[in-house]
């Protein structure tokens, strides 16, 4: 579950940027997201069960939202 939550967070942050900022991710982001999804599928082998994977993705989405908001705040702070 932890690998799914942490592994899905970068992909979900890019998805947030796509939805909220209307900022299309680069080609590299799409390639590496695809590679990470394939890696997560191979690592978990989907043996965790549907609800465990769903809750782990929910945790990843929450963590990704935290990362996204912290980055927005850090860009808006004057140093």
């Amino acid at each position: 579950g932890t690998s799914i939550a942490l592994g899905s967070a970068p992909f979900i942050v890019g998805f947030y940027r796509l939805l909220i900022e209307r900022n299309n991710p680069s080609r590299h982001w799409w390639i590496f997201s695809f590679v990470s999804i394939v890696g997560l599928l191979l690592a978990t082998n989907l043996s965790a069960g549907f609800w465990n994977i769903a809750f782990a993705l929910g945790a990843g989405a929450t963590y990704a939202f935290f990362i996204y908001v912290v980055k927005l705040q850090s860009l808006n702070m004057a140093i």
Side-chain angles (χ1 to χ4, degrees):
T2 303
S3 62
I4 294 172
L6 294 177
S8 65
F11 174 73
I12 296 172
V13 168
F15 191 67
Y16 285 152
R17 290 190 66 206
L18 179 65
L19 289 178
I20 296 170
E21 298 175 12
R22 305 278 186 215
N23 185 3
N24 289 331
S26 69
R27 186 173 66 122
H28 289 107
W29 180 86
W30 288 106
I31 292 168
F32 292 124
S33 292
F34 175 75
V35 169
S36 71
I37 290 170
V38 170
L40 285 172
L41 289 174
L42 291 173
T44 60
N45 201 11
L46 298 179
S47 61
F50 174 76
W51 288 111
N52 290 336
I53 293 173
F55 288 135
L57 286 174
T62 305
Y63 179 62
F65 185 72
F66 170 74
I67 293 170
Y68 179 73
V69 170
V70 167
K71 180 168 180 165
L72 286 180
Q73 289 298 318
S74 69
L75 292 176
N76 291 332
M77 293 181 65
I79 296 176

